[in-house]
């Protein structure tokens, strides 16, 4: 068996001590959420990975919104994240426009919102709960494209 | 100390194949096997129960999106542990005032190319027991401090310091010294084993 390494950081040591003492059981709702996460799997989806976006000049104050970009090779998902009343608003752009009959789903662990894409490839969803979300773009004759799960807290 | 990771509960290729085929029961087995590990990983960052739940959910969501990249079922625990620690670390940075509206993500595949987390060596139940045996040989205040730290995951610094009879400002530095000392003792055991 391997022996502990001196490179163990404090958090690892604390985790191992707590795990072995068994005095911090996982709350039932947390385990339930982990089991429920399986329903969000999307076999065959193409992953859109986050890429760094240079902050463009002239957009609204960075304190009010932020821009995220996800790249899936043939398709890019741009998101502007805003918030109001503690809820999250998303305005998105799929480029290039995937064509007629394409739509997006904005998924969170507790709800999914579907939107048709405008001819310009745009969509918007407001009032999402803060937390984890993923945007899935469905387009005809292609596998869906899904952004990596991203956590947003206003 | 209870054996919280039954070593018999091995997640093998067959379980993963069932998960990939959409078998919820097989997924539930994976969750049951690694839930305590992931929870301990995120809670070690001093997060509230709500933030810890958030970080933990992130680790499971990442596993769901990277399921198809699993080549070695034996590495799922390592991958989850590392991923959960990363999410927890980001959340703590945020709570400490860093501005991260959406956390940077660099999800990688759940495969054997992820560097092994050093903590994993001590995650086996036997090693956990050995760790506690070492703690029991430590002098005060370390022995009491580490026992209390493990037993009261939700206690704040003031509460912990009060119960140890030390000023609140001393708790953090003392804990750091105790963990350093524990690390040194483990290293000595390692070299003399």
């Amino acid at each position: 068996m391997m022996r502990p390494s001196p490179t163990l950081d404090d958090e690892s040591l604390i985790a191992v001590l707590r795990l072995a003492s068994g005095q911090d059981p996982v709350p039932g709702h947390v385990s339930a959420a982990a089991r429920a996460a399986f329903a969000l799997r999307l076999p065959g989806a193409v992953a859109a990975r986050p890429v760094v976006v240079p902050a463009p000049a002239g957009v609204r104050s960075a304190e009010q919104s932020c821009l995220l970009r996800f790249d899936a090779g043939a398709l890019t998902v741009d998101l502007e994240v805003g918030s109001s009343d503690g809820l999250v608003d998303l305005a998105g752009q799929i480029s290039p426009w995937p064509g007629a009959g394409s739509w997006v789903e904005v998924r969170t662990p507790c709800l999914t919102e579907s939107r048709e894409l405008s001819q310009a490839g745009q969509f918007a969803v407001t009032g999402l709960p803060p937390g984890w979300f993923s945007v899935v773009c469905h387009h005809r004759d292609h596998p869906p494209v899904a952004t990596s799960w991203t956590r947003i807290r206003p | 100390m209870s054996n919280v990771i039954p070593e018999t509960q091995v997640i093998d290729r067959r379980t993963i194949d069932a998960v990939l085929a959409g078998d919820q029961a097989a997924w539930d087995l994976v969750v049951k096997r690694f839930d305590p590990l992931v929870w301990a990983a995120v809670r070690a960052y001093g997060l509230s129960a709500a933030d810890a739940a958030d970080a933990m959910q992130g680790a499971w969501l990442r596993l769901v999106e990277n399921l198809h990249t699993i080549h070695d079922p034996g590495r799922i625990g390592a991958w989850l542990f590392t991923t959960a620690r990363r999410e927890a670390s980001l959340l703590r940075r945020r709570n400490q005032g860093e501005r991260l509206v959406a956390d940077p993500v660099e999800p990688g595949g759940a495969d054997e190319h992820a560097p092994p987390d050093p903590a994993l060596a001590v995650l086996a139940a036997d090693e956990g027991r050995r760790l506690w045996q070492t703690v029991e040989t430590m002098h005060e205040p370390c022995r009491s401090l580490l026992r209390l730290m493990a037993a009261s995951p939700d206690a704040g610094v003031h509460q912990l310091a009060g119960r140890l009879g030390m000023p609140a400002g001393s708790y953090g530095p003392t804990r750091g010294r105790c963990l350093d000392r524990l690390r040194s003792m483990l290293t000595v055991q390692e070299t003399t084993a």
Side-chain angles (χ1 to χ4, degrees):
Chain A
M1 176 170 294
M2 287 169 69
R3 291 292 172 193
S5 151
T7 56
L8 272 176
D9 61 14
D10 283 3
E11 288 78 12
S12 299
L13 259 184
I14 293 168
V16 174
L17 285 167
R18 290 231 183 101
L19 184 66
S21 75
Q23 293 180 91
D24 186 20
V26 187
H29 73 277
V30 175
S31 295
R35 289 192 296 273
F38 193 56
L40 293 164
R41 80 196 184 95
L42 210 56
V46 175
R49 303 288 187 195
V51 289
V52 177
V53 206
V59 295
R60 279 191 285 149
S61 160
E63 291 302 316
Q64 296 302 316
S65 66
C66 89
L67 301 172
L68 301 172
R69 173 169 291 172
F70 299 86
D71 182 21
L75 208 140
T76 301
V77 182
D78 280 299
L79 296 173
E80 183 180 2
V81 183
S83 67
S84 53
D85 300 330
L87 297 173
V88 174
D89 301 331
L90 286 184
Q93 165 86 55
I94 309 284
S95 20
W97 181 56
S102 51
W103 83 99
V104 294
E105 286 177 315
V106 177
R107 309 199 306 161
T108 75
C110 53
L111 63 89
T112 295
E113 296 271 1
S114 297
R115 294 286 184 274
E116 277 186 27
L117 280 176
S118 75
Q119 291 263 339
Q122 292 171 327
F123 65 95
V125 177
T126 57
L128 291 169
W132 294 97
F133 79 92
S134 163
V135 174
V136 183
C137 178
H138 297 271
H139 47 141
R140 207 177 284 166
D141 305 327
H142 292 283
V145 171
T147 67
S148 309
W149 285 94
T150 304
R151 195 171 54 82
I152 295 184
R153 291 260 150 184
Chain B
M1 297 297 164
S2 62
N3 182 346
V4 290
I5 311 180
E7 307 231 33
T8 49
Q9 219 176 24
V10 171
I11 300 302
D12 55 14
R13 188 70 243 175
R14 208 168 50 170
T15 311
I16 295 307
D17 286 343
V19 168
L20 287 170
D23 184 342
Q24 175 78 47
W27 173 258
D28 290 352
L29 268 182
V30 175
V31 171
K32 190 177 174 193
R33 168 68 177 81
F34 295 115
D35 225 17
L37 168 68
V38 179
W39 182 245
V42 299
R43 288 279 271 171
Y45 284 79
L47 300 175
S48 68
D51 278 351
D54 218 11
M56 177 146 164
Q57 189 168 33
W60 287 112
L61 287 169
R62 295 224 186 289
L63 182 59
V64 167
E65 76 185 353
N66 286 290
L67 274 174
H68 59 284
T69 68
I70 297 173
H71 300 301
D72 176 5
R75 292 213 36 103
I76 296 178
W79 189 88
L80 272 172
F81 189 70
T82 305
T83 304
R85 278 158 53 77
R86 188 169 174 282
E87 301 295 347
S89 167
L90 284 169
L91 247 170
R92 184 170 67 180
R93 279 168 54 192
R94 234 197 100 100
N95 290 345
Q96 288 170 348
E98 276 187 58
R99 191 186 143 72
L100 302 162
V101 172
D103 293 332
V105 280
E106 22 180 282
D111 62 18
E112 57 267 40
H113 300 303
D117 195 307
L120 289 159
V122 286
L123 288 175
D126 282 355
E127 292 296 286
R129 271 194 294 277
R130 197 174 68 88
L131 205 57
W132 275 108
Q133 283 166 6
T134 308
V135 170
E136 295 305 327
T137 68
M138 293 178 86
H139 293 297
E140 296 297 355
C142 290
R143 189 172 57 202
S144 296
L145 186 149
L146 294 177
R147 276 182 184 165
L148 189 61
M149 183 200 75
S152 314
D154 285 310
V157 167
H158 285 86
Q159 203 181 342
L160 292 168
R163 287 171 67 179
L164 292 163
M166 61 173 66
S170 299
Y171 176 78
T174 308
R175 190 185 78 170
R177 278 195 296 276
C178 292
L179 291 171
D180 283 345
R181 190 163 176 77
L182 177 59
R183 254 189 299 266
S184 302
M185 293 169 77
L186 294 170
T187 308
V188 171
Q189 287 180 13
E190 183 181 351
T191 51
T192 55

